[in-house]
Amino acid sequence: MDAESQERFREFVESRSSALLRTAVLLCGGDRHAAEDQLQNALVKVADRWCGIDDPEAYARQVLYRQQISRWRLKWPRREVAVAEPPERAGDGEQSAAELRVLMRGALARLTPRQRAVLVLRYFEDLPEADVARVLGCSVGTVRSTTHRSLARLRRLAPELAALAPAATGSAAPRRDISPVEVRP
């Protein structure tokens, strides 16, 4: 890689790594350390192919998703789950955006990696079903059924999210600072 390409890669990493890390954290169920490892591996692969990539961010996201798929297929899956209890609320009746993010991250961590990936791609990344199917290497029907089962399980595992949905969204459009999952009843 020549000096100009290295500088462009450095600028890409500086400008887009935080957004890519957010996606990786969601894909890893809130495990920031695993997400950082996955992002680092993805950026290494982007650097290796930097000169031949038209859209480096799309390529990096594709690598992140495929790494997550590879983790699903491990014969001995990791059983570690990072759990942190949020501090007590002040009792004002309203939850802050940070509390909602913690709640949502914890709820996503209780889903299977495949369910988490489908929800992240569909609602966080706002991809249509056909694109999610292409990224995950499955059919559109599989994406639809997995989305349906994932949302049902999320509602069952975290009923507190369903209670927040009408007050938190106020409309049919998802809010990125809370979660896209509460939009659908």
Side-chain angles (χ1 to χ4, degrees):
M1 190 181 315
D2 62 6
E4 181 183 328
S5 295
Q6 285 180 349
E7 184 59 31
R8 286 195 339 258
F9 177 72
R10 198 172 291 121
E11 289 171 1
F12 166 73
V13 170
E14 287 175 8
S15 66
R16 300 307 305 155
S17 62
S18 62
L20 291 169
L21 181 60
R22 281 192 301 270
T23 299
V25 167
L26 290 171
L27 287 170
C28 291
D31 185 351
R32 186 172 177 89
H33 297 292
E36 289 171 349
D37 289 344
Q38 280 198 357
L39 178 59
Q40 185 69 28
N41 291 336
L43 290 175
V44 167
K45 290 181 180 184
V46 169
D48 287 343
R49 300 204 26 163
W50 181 255
C51 294
I53 300 174
D54 294 330
D55 186 356
E57 184 169 0
Y59 185 81
R61 288 181 188 280
Q62 183 81 18
V63 171
L64 285 172
Y65 304 138
R66 299 218 177 201
Q67 286 176 349
Q68 187 62 30
I69 290 170
S70 295
R71 285 183 67 191
W72 301 337
R73 294 179 178 152
L74 287 176
K75 185 173 183 174
W76 303 103
R78 292 177 39 182
R79 300 281 183 207
E80 298 177 49
V81 177
V83 177
E85 294 294 324
E88 292 293 323
R89 291 197 323 237
D92 59 0
E94 288 293 317
Q95 286 187 317
S96 71
E99 290 171 325
L100 291 174
R101 281 193 300 274
V102 168
L103 184 64
M104 187 63 197
R105 197 172 279 158
L108 283 173
R110 290 183 259 174
L111 297 176
T112 67
R114 172 171 234 143
Q115 290 173 330
R116 216 176 15 250
V118 167
L119 292 181
V120 168
L121 290 170
R122 279 289 288 133
Y123 298 107
F124 182 76
E125 295 293 327
D126 202 25
L127 292 179
E129 291 169 338
D131 289 349
V132 174
R134 183 184 48 76
V135 168
L136 297 179
C138 61
S139 70
V140 174
T142 300
V143 170
R144 288 179 183 155
S145 63
T146 303
T147 301
H148 176 74
R149 284 191 307 270
S150 303
L151 291 174
R153 184 169 183 212
L154 192 62
R155 286 185 205 100
R156 201 172 52 252
L157 292 173
E160 59 274 14
L161 289 175
L164 297 173
T169 59
S171 70
R175 283 181 46 187
R176 296 274 184 194
D177 63 330
I178 296 173
S179 160
V181 177
E182 54 284 15
V183 174
R184 304 221 176 178

